[in-house]
Amino acid sequence: SSRWRSPAHTRHVGEHHCANCGFAPERPGRNEAAHYSTGSGAGMAQKGDDFLTVPLCWKCHRLQHDIGEPAFWDAYEKARGHDVHALIERMIATSPKRSEIEAIRR
């Protein structure tokens, strides 16, 4: 794959509360790093780069796939007042791989 992969970054993302419902796992790292693929250049059924991930519990991650990303993230934006890109930027800003991500995004 030509996509950027980082287990360290996806672990970091999964340690946060679910961005959609707020679920906080009993043990850190139990939420999933859900890929945001819309506009990422990834084809059908392909994941984007790992820096394009957000924390979702398994139920919300399933919902994201069931209703589709555009509908899921539109509802998220209406409920929260900011879009998924702001959330992605917060995950990157606190990531142990921040410098690496910033370097490849230039």
Side-chain angles (χ1 to χ4, degrees), residues 23-30:
F23 175 74
E26 292 176 11
R27 295 189 331 238
R30 299 301 291 182

Side-chain angles (χ1 to χ4, degrees), residues 25-43:
E26 292 176 11
R27 295 189 331 238
R30 299 301 291 182
N31 277 334
E32 300 175 1
H35 284 82
Y36 175 76
S37 299
T38 305
S40 69

Side-chain angles (χ1 to χ4, degrees), residues 5 8-9 13 33 40 51 62 68-69 77-78 87 95 99 101:
R5 297 288 173 238
H9 180 72
V13 171
S40 69
F51 62 80
R62 175 67 185 254
E69 282 194 59
E77 182 175 352
K78 286 177 182 166
L87 177 58
S95 175
S99 336
I101 295 167

Side-chain angles (χ1 to χ4, degrees), residues 90-105:
R90 282 199 309 272
M91 292 296 104
I92 292 170
T94 58
S95 175
K97 295 294 186 171
R98 178 181 178 180
S99 336
E100 190 176 326
I101 295 167
E102 289 173 348
I104 63 171
R105 290 175 76 192

